[in-house]
Amino acid sequence: MEVLSGLLSTAILSGGVLALAALGELLAERVGVLNLGVEGLMALGAMSAVATVGATHDPWLGFLAALLVGGGAGILFALATVVVRASQVLCGMALTMGGLGLSATIGRPFAGQPAGATFSPLPIPLLDRIPVLGPALFQQSVPVYLAFLLLPAAIAWLLFRTRHGLTLRAIGENPAACDAAGIRVAPIRFCYVVLGAAVSASAGAYLTLGFVPSWSDGVTAGRGWIAVALVIFAGYRPWRIVGGALLFGLVNALGYLAQARNWGVPSAFLAMLPYGVTLLFMIAPGLLRRGGALIAAPAALGVPYYRDEK
């Protein structure tokens, strides 16, 4: 029972990183902007969180620093893609490479050092006493609850229960029609690209202050790319993103358990397993779409909007 509870707890901790990163990407993609810079944003967020915590010993200030750094990078990306209307794919790749390089350079003094402070668990009374599930689900830190409950609930309510959410989805589908209806397309796209970048960067703070309590070059280990794939796999729905993040976290946790229990599985295979699941994430949408079980991507995703071309 303890093994199962520990497995679930590790799966939740690991999956929370992906959930936050993918939810941030979802905000940008729902308004029609493809941000392939999630990996770089996570690296910047992870480095800035560790650096801030080293100076202040307050994990929440580290989390805030990651949000601010991610928002700053998101402003640059939004200026390039929404205002200048440069290629979203190329700008995303530049953000990834720039974020990885900048974080590695600035974060060199912190490499290999433990974080100055980390998020402490916040047990939920009574629920944390449930056998097996209680310790795994209800003895987590606040960022875990944020990633798996508060943020997806807020995004789902915004997108599917409010008039503003209808506007966001319409911009992602047909920005020209929205513009004709008097909706300011560019400012809304700009705001949600910046907000999404900040949320994705906060996943890096979660990673180094909650899951892997230290900074090192390459600590994100491709999780940003997996988050982008997860949004596609989830059909651009926040609660499906949570489910997919849990699935990936479980695969990751099984790898840790296999190594700890010495199951005799080659370590190279265990290290490859999460990325193999990512390939399935990319293949599954095509198969599900044929059966009508998946929502297609926003029609204007990745397409710059020119007001004079309606």
Side-chain angles (χ1 to χ4, degrees):
M1 299 294 283
E2 291 183 2
V3 172
L4 180 58
S5 180
L7 180 67
L8 290 175
S9 181
T10 304
I12 290 171
L13 283 172
S14 178
V17 180
L18 280 181
L20 272 180
L23 288 170
E25 176 69 7
L26 174 67
L27 290 173
E29 293 199 16
R30 273 294 186 175
V31 293
V33 179
L34 177 64
N35 186 354
L36 296 181
V38 179
E39 183 81 2
L41 289 168
M42 289 179 64
L44 288 172
M47 181 276 301
S48 58
V50 169
T52 302
V53 165
T56 64
H57 300 283
D58 187 336
W60 284 110
L61 288 178
F63 196 82
L64 177 61
L67 286 171
L68 293 175
V69 170
I75 289 174
L76 295 177
F77 179 78
L79 284 172
T81 56
V82 178
V83 179
V84 181
R85 290 170 293 198
S87 168
Q88 296 176 14
V89 173
L90 293 180
C91 290
M93 296 297 294
L95 180 56
T96 287
M97 292 185 289
L100 290 173
L102 184 62
S103 61
T105 301
I106 299 177
R108 192 170 295 138
F110 307 98
Q113 299 180 12
T118 58
F119 291 108
S120 301
L122 181 65
I124 298 178
L126 299 180
L127 294 178
D128 64 333
R129 299 180 182 178
I130 299 174
V132 182
L133 294 179
L137 299 179
F138 304 112
Q139 291 185 8
Q140 300 289 355
S141 62
V142 173
V144 175
Y145 301 135
L146 177 68
F148 282 108
L149 181 60
L150 301 178
L151 189 58
I155 293 176
W157 176 79
L158 173 68
L159 289 176
F160 305 111
R161 293 290 185 269
T162 67
R163 184 174 180 177
H164 182 65
L166 179 61
T167 300
L168 299 181
R169 289 184 284 135
I171 289 174
E173 295 292 339
N174 194 334
C178 293
D179 195 4
I183 297 171
R184 302 181 65 188
V185 173
I188 292 177
R189 276 189 166 183
F190 193 100
C191 289
Y192 279 91
V193 167
V194 174
L195 179 59
V199 173
S200 293
S202 73
Y206 174 109
L207 176 64
T208 52
L209 302 182
F211 183 50
V212 182
S214 65
W215 159 259
S216 62
D217 185 15
V219 69
T220 52
R223 288 180 174 88
W225 298 109
I226 295 173
V228 174
L230 179 57
V231 175
I232 301 170
F233 172 77
Y236 306 88
R237 296 281 183 139
W239 288 115
R240 293 184 186 179
I241 285 176
V242 170
L246 281 173
L247 174 61
F248 177 87
L250 184 60
V251 172
N252 212 21
L254 281 172
Y256 294 143
L257 181 63
Q259 290 181 345
R261 295 274 171 169
N262 195 20
W263 287 354
V265 181
S267 60
F269 176 80
L270 295 174
M272 172 275 299
L273 194 57
Y275 303 97
V277 172
T278 303
L279 291 177
L280 293 179
F281 279 1
M282 300 302 294
I283 296 171
L287 299 177
L288 293 173
R289 191 176 289 115
R290 292 179 182 178
L294 191 71
I295 296 175
L301 180 62
V303 181
Y305 173 61
Y306 294 86
R307 190 172 187 180
D308 55 341
E309 296 180 5
K310 297 183 180 180

